[in-house]
Amino acid sequence: MGAHGDLSTWSGPAVADVAFELRRAELQLIAAGALADATAVRELLALQSSDWAFMIARGIAAPYARQRLAGHREALRRALAAPGTGDEQAVRTLPLRDRALTF
């Protein structure tokens, strides 16, 4: 449960835009079906990390969380636009790649 004993931490007014964007991204991946490669799936999972919404809702490094969301959303968009061209090494080293982000 969230801070108020409900799910508002992940879908309340402070993060409603995030919740809707995550659902859109999920539906886009589902629509891609078998064309969605490992890169697309990995980026969706990184995008859906509950930490981002939590950080925004609680005001903990919210700009950083929004930067990470935007980065994963763009990477997912690219992966869905060109399936099969993802860099498997980049998928395996995603945590290392993300350390370069600033906040």
Side-chain angles (χ1 to χ4, degrees), residues 1-83:
M1 287 293 156
H4 305 289
D6 59 19
L7 298 176
S8 63
T9 298
W10 297 277
S11 62
V15 291
D17 62 322
V18 171
F20 283 113
E21 184 58 32
L22 295 179
R23 183 63 175 149
R24 266 191 301 278
E26 180 182 355
L27 292 173
Q28 288 172 340
L29 184 91
I30 291 168
L35 293 177
D37 62 9
T39 301
V41 173
R42 176 66 172 94
E43 290 297 343
L44 177 65
L45 291 174
L47 182 66
Q48 291 176 325
S49 170
S50 66
D51 290 350
W52 313 137
F54 176 84
M55 292 167 72
I56 295 166
R58 299 300 302 264
I60 304 167
Y64 170 73
R66 289 201 178 272
Q67 179 186 19
R68 293 290 302 271
L69 280 166
H72 290 302
R73 183 67 179 107
E74 178 57 23
L76 174 60
R77 185 199 63 72
R78 285 192 313 268
L80 291 174

